[in-house]
Amino acid sequence: MNNYKTTTFLLSAPDLEYLPTDIGNEVAFIGSSNVGKSSAINTLTNQKFLAKISKTPGCTKLINIFKISLQCRLLDFPGYGYAQVNKKLKNIFQHRWNTYLQNRQCLQGVVLFMDLRHPLRELDKHNFRLVTDHNLPILILLSKSDKCSRELQKKTLHIVRKYFLQFNNSVQVEIFSSRKRVGIDKLQLTLNIWLGRKE
Ligand code: GDP
């Protein structure tokens, strides 16, 4: 069982060659800019300022790496798909993400965040396919659920589950809110399984 409270910031990598040596276990967090990944990292680790929360979408271009334990890391990839991120940058992101998925031996699973109010964008679907094509497990979190009514949460969960289950019957989709700590247990449990795999 990993203790996420002792997670520390390791480094910000401008590109894949700056990543730590490919040993141990890693999980990757991906999603559109501003989807709430940094907030999720802070809630998961019970630390207010571990990951930088941004009000301006699309400004992080670095891969932020957090050390959970000696050989366990969490990689926070730059947000993709925001309208203000230009096409060239989107392509760079996608190419880098694809290369990482293809080559990274220590990657154990991917957490894909989608804003509950704007799910199933083209890049979400595309990146989901990339992850499952590499036979990696994926957890999909519908973030900022506290901004929506229970009815909308239930309805969206149903639609999103139905969509992804047609491609992969082991995909997990959950409601998530850092603000209300909804879905944190599920996230922790999943990371425990993925990161504990080779320990
Ligand atoms: P990132 O770009 O994906 O890392 O997103 P951030 O974690 O920086 O969050 C972007 C914005 O959404 C910030 O203003 C956060 O305060 C807000 N936010 C993040 N998570 C939640 C949540 O669970 N509920 C609400 N209401 N706002 C959130």
Side-chain angles (χ1 to χ4, degrees):
M1 185 87 153
N2 287 293
N3 180 2
Y4 299 95
K5 287 181 190 164
T6 53
T7 302
T8 52
F9 172 75
L10 189 63
L11 62 103
S12 289
D15 214 336
L16 299 180
E17 68 256 37
Y18 298 92
L19 293 184
T21 314
D22 191 357
I23 49 170
N25 295 320
E26 259 171 32
V27 291
F29 280 20
I30 61 163
S32 289
S33 311
N34 217 34
V35 77
K37 288 187 286 118
S38 307
S39 305
I41 292 168
N42 290 341
T43 309
L44 172 75
T45 58
N46 229 344
Q47 299 182 43
K48 269 193 181 150
F49 307 108
L50 184 62
K52 270 195 202 136
I53 313 277
S54 167
K55 288 242 183 265
T56 341
C59 48
T60 322
K61 295 174 188 71
L62 304 166
I63 304 167
N64 290 316
I65 303 161
F66 302 91
K67 185 172 152 187
I68 295 169
S69 64
L70 195 61
Q71 291 299 357
C72 287
R73 292 174 297 275
L74 189 166
L75 268 64
D76 182 19
F77 274 78
Y80 57 72
Y82 190 75
Q84 277 165 18
V85 176
N86 67 37
K87 208 170 168 198
K88 198 174 154 202
L89 231 136
K90 276 186 199 171
N91 290 341
I92 291 172
F93 171 85
Q94 281 304 135
H95 179 71
R96 195 202 275 169
W97 173 238
N98 212 350
T99 311
Y100 171 79
L101 278 177
Q102 257 166 25
N103 300 309
R104 196 74 172 167
Q105 297 298 315
C106 64
L107 179 63
Q108 302 298 330
V110 174
V111 183
L112 192 158
F113 289 81
M114 291 191 294
D115 191 316
L116 195 138
R117 298 163 300 169
H118 317 286
L120 299 173
R121 288 179 162 168
E122 278 316 306
L123 272 174
D124 296 323
K125 297 178 188 171
H126 177 72
N127 284 319
F128 164 82
R129 280 196 294 272
L130 280 184
V131 174
T132 50
D133 284 352
H134 286 91
N135 290 320
L136 282 159
I138 185 162
L139 169 66
I140 296 168
L141 296 178
L142 301 173
S143 63
K144 307 191 192 181
S145 63
D146 56 281
K147 291 195 179 211
C148 306
S149 68
R150 295 245 165 194
E151 290 91 286
L152 185 64
Q153 291 179 26
K154 239 176 109 177
K155 195 174 144 207
T156 311
L157 182 65
H158 179 73
I159 292 169
V160 174
R161 273 193 179 146
K162 199 170 162 197
Y163 177 82
F164 287 119
L165 280 169
Q166 60 178 324
F167 303 107
N168 177 337
N169 60 12
S170 62
V171 65
Q172 303 178 78
V173 186
E174 301 293 337
I175 302 281
F176 189 83
S177 161
S178 293
R179 191 156 293 177
K180 298 276 181 205
R181 297 191 61 89
V182 175
I184 294 289
D185 289 353
K186 180 70 194 179
L187 175 60
Q188 277 196 7
L189 214 74
T190 306
L191 297 186
N192 287 345
I193 295 167
W194 291 350
L195 293 171
R197 248 170 213 176
K198 280 196 255 164
E199 281 190 344

